[in-house]
Amino acid sequence: MLTNEYLKRVYAQVEKRDGHEPEFLQAVREVFESLELVIDKHPEWEKNALLERFVEPERVIEFRVPWVDDNGNVQVNRGYRVQYNSAIGPYKGGLRFHPSVNLSVIKFLGFEQCLKNSLTTLPMGGGKGGSDFDPKGKSDAEVMRFCQSFMTELYRHIGQFTDTPAGDIGVGGREIGFLFGQYKRIVDQHAAGVLTGKGLTFGGSLARTQATGYGLCYFSAEALKYLANTTYEGKTVVVSGSGNVAQYCAQKVTQLGGKVVAMSDSQGYIYDPNGVDLKKLFDIKQRRRARISVYADEVPGSEYHVGCRDIWNVKCDIAHPCASQNEMDEKGAQALVDNGCMAVFEGANMPLTPEAIAVVQKNGLLYSPGKASNAGGVATSGLEMSQNSIRMSWSFDEVDEKLHGIMKNIYKACYDASVECGKPGDLMLGANVAGFLKIAEAMLAQGVV
Ligand code: NDP
């Protein structure tokens, strides 16, 4: 509940203007609730209309993306780029290709991205983009033609000092390659820093593919150590999703001694009491691009269940939601609690509904929001840009070590802010406050812009 008059007033204004954007409202509300604890110390925010400015993206671009499918039919999708806030650096944030993409989703992701990028300590502002295009079931040639058309509009809005997109749901190495190829062709420059998540032969960084999932586990390991005096060793873990973040989260959990017993895609989930065979899973998802149900067809002793939301009924010690926003509701969170789960660390962006967060926190589970625990992806994108600028490539271990250090620092920043707010260990509060304070300071220093 919001009690501060200034926060209430700005939130009411957002509701009035953007009431038709539920995901955006949800993200703003969560952050405002955290800011309640510090707002009295910052009268300058109201004086400078700082929050009014922060809830308004600096620029929203929406565009037509026409392309021709393999049958010669013309298709039209809608493209977006929300350049949310550039106070601490050029806009940075992924592109999502998924049928559920709309302006509300892209604005919430851009808003969250600003706070996340601030937490990494690297000089990156926040942005996000994408399209309602669905790469699933499309041929490589169709994906290429779509990406070329998308970039034919996007190129004029981006640049290494302006806005530097990366991947997200539905945008992996294949799509980034096609997007970069078209950008390079149009501007006639190999400006590698304009996109991150590139292939290793043209400016990509080692460990970027693994970074979000690995970083999630590095962050979670810190929380387990300092808040519960324990580790992943011997823990049973459920990881939702089976895309980039989920795959490398599962791999790092396994390396750290945990056992991943369930994973999902948007159709259903698999349960493997022996621990998910990641070689098999990677083959199904990365090479064959097949449904996760194939896993149960091919691995004796495992089961497939239709319906991805029921994955939270699987008994576990630690849950890593790594699929999409609002994938865990109150019922899912309660099932975890009833089964004795001790921690929920988010890999996806905003995967828990506000009601699910309330259940998790009320029952004393450890909890971290995606904007803190999944920040390893964008942090390593920042490291990719550094390598592009100095025209060098660091080794896998060098990048991984830097990523590990960054995740430890993010944990510490969140924890320290939670202490300052009088709620030690409330990492959601800590992430929102620590992330916002830096942006606020930068915005104030730059005047009314
Ligand atoms: P991928 O496209 O690689 O994988 C997404 C996975 O989630 C797939 O298994 C997909 O299943 C499943 N999924 C997608 N939408 C839904 C849905 N509505 N309900 C249930 N399952 C769904 O994406 P990523 O792994 O890159 O991203 C996953 C999450 O992590 C997103 O929230 C993203 O914003 C966040 N993230 C990603 C980063 C990155 O570096 N990639 C960085 C930081 C955050 P299916 O194949 O059936 O669609």
Side-chain angles (χ1 to χ4, degrees):
M1 244 254 298
L2 293 173
T3 55
N4 175 276
E5 285 308 318
Y6 176 43
L7 287 169
K8 275 204 297 202
R9 179 162 52 77
V10 179
Y11 186 73
Q13 193 181 325
V14 180
E15 266 185 320
K16 196 168 152 213
R17 273 191 181 160
D18 304 321
H20 55 289
E21 295 174 349
E23 292 86 359
F24 180 62
L25 283 181
Q26 184 182 334
V28 171
R29 188 168 182 99
E30 182 205 292
V31 171
F32 275 24
E33 283 176 358
S34 297
L35 295 182
E36 285 263 355
L37 281 111
V38 286
I39 194 127
D40 288 342
K41 290 189 208 151
H42 296 280
E44 73 280 12
W45 291 355
E46 182 168 7
K47 205 164 150 259
N48 289 280
L50 198 86
L51 292 173
E52 289 89 328
R53 284 192 272 151
F54 190 58
V55 295
E56 199 61 32
E58 288 175 14
R59 190 176 296 115
V60 172
I61 302 150
E62 192 177 305
F63 51 99
R64 181 174 70 196
V65 190
W67 57 281
V68 181
D69 69 19
D70 286 347
N71 297 319
N73 299 317
V74 177
Q75 305 284 344
V76 181
N77 286 95
R78 187 171 286 177
Y80 301 91
R81 186 71 185 167
V82 172
Q83 298 181 327
Y84 203 99
N85 191 298
S86 61
I88 60 178
Y91 311 108
K92 171 117 205 91
L95 297 171
R96 175 177 293 190
F97 293 168
H98 192 272
S100 63
V101 163
N102 56 39
L103 189 56
S104 172
V105 168
I106 299 296
K107 274 177 68 180
F108 114 69
L109 288 165
F111 177 85
E112 294 274 292
Q113 193 81 44
C114 299
L115 298 157
K116 181 188 314 195
N117 293 1
S118 165
L119 286 170
T120 66
T121 70
L122 301 175
M124 301 182 292
K128 200 82 188 188
S131 172
D132 56 2
F133 172 76
D134 187 358
K136 229 178 276 151
K138 305 286 191 301
S139 68
D140 286 351
E142 287 176 320
V143 171
M144 181 180 74
R145 287 195 293 274
F146 174 82
C147 288
Q148 290 178 340
S149 180
F150 186 87
M151 186 52 85
T152 300
E153 172 58 34
L154 187 70
Y155 89 93
R156 68 189 87 244
H157 308 290
I158 61 176
Q160 62 166 329
F161 299 114
T162 323
D163 184 0
T164 62
D168 191 75
I169 291 179
V171 180
R174 175 182 61 171
E175 290 75 16
I176 292 291
F178 293 148
L179 290 163
F180 183 70
Q182 184 72 352
Y183 181 82
K184 180 169 70 69
R185 184 188 197 190
I186 295 172
V187 303
D188 197 22
Q189 279 179 5
H190 198 291
V194 74
L195 284 171
T196 56
K198 297 181 294 296
L200 294 176
T201 51
F202 53 97
S205 172
L206 286 162
R208 172 60 186 94
T209 308
Q210 293 81 358
T212 309
Y214 279 22
L216 166 60
C217 296
Y218 295 148
F219 181 98
S220 308
E222 294 294 292
L224 289 170
K225 180 171 155 189
Y226 291 110
L227 299 177
N229 193 25
T230 188
T231 67
Y232 274 105
E233 190 71 44
K235 300 283 190 303
T236 301
V237 181
V238 167
V239 178
S240 67
S242 49
N244 172 267
V245 179
Q247 288 169 19
Y248 291 100
C249 165
Q251 187 176 66
K252 187 51 78 179
V253 165
T254 310
Q255 286 171 8
L256 295 174
K259 182 160 84 167
V260 177
V261 293
M263 296 182 75
S264 60
D265 62 21
S266 58
Q267 308 298 309
Y269 72 92
I270 51 152
Y271 171 63
D272 188 340
N274 300 315
V276 174
D277 174 347
L278 292 176
K279 203 163 156 226
K280 173 67 83 181
L281 183 98
F282 281 25
D283 182 60
I284 293 169
K285 284 291 167 188
Q286 294 183 5
R287 193 178 64 81
R288 291 191 259 168
R289 293 183 185 265
R291 308 312 302 162
I292 204 163
S293 56
V294 171
Y295 182 94
D297 296 339
E298 298 181 5
V299 179
S302 67
E303 300 164 7
Y304 176 68
H305 297 263
V306 176
C308 55
R309 281 181 175 258
D310 292 338
I311 193 172
W312 310 119
N313 293 332
V314 175
K315 187 174 164 53
C316 65
D317 301 307
I318 299 169
H320 285 306
C322 295
S324 198
Q325 66 271 8
N326 292 328
E327 55 166 302
M328 188 194 296
D329 58 14
E330 194 175 359
K331 198 167 137 251
Q334 192 58 51
L336 288 176
V337 170
D338 294 345
N339 281 324
C341 178
M342 64 168 297
V344 179
F345 301 122
E346 296 182 351
N349 285 310
M350 208 168 76
L352 270 68
T353 63
E355 296 77 22
I357 296 174
V359 169
V360 164
Q361 291 194 321
K362 193 176 76 198
N363 287 281
L365 277 67
L366 304 184
Y367 168 67
S368 72
K371 64 172 75 78
S373 41
N374 73 24
V378 72
T380 308
S381 278
L383 300 178
E384 181 174 331
M385 290 163 73
S386 303
Q387 292 169 80
N388 295 151
S389 291
I390 58 172
R391 287 166 164 49
M392 296 271 289
S393 303
W394 297 327
S395 69
F396 186 98
D397 288 346
E398 270 176 289
V399 180
D400 192 36
E401 203 183 308
K402 287 185 170 53
L403 167 66
H404 202 157
I406 289 171
M407 297 315 294
K408 284 181 170 180
N409 288 340
I410 294 175
Y411 171 78
K412 192 168 179 314
C414 295
Y415 181 76
D416 288 351
S418 76
V419 172
E420 266 178 54
C421 292
K423 294 202 172 181
D426 186 334
L427 300 176
M428 177 173 80
L429 176 63
N432 288 335
V433 168
F436 184 71
L437 285 176
K438 181 173 168 192
I439 298 171
E441 201 181 319
M443 284 177 74
L444 286 171
Q446 291 169 28
V448 179
V449 292

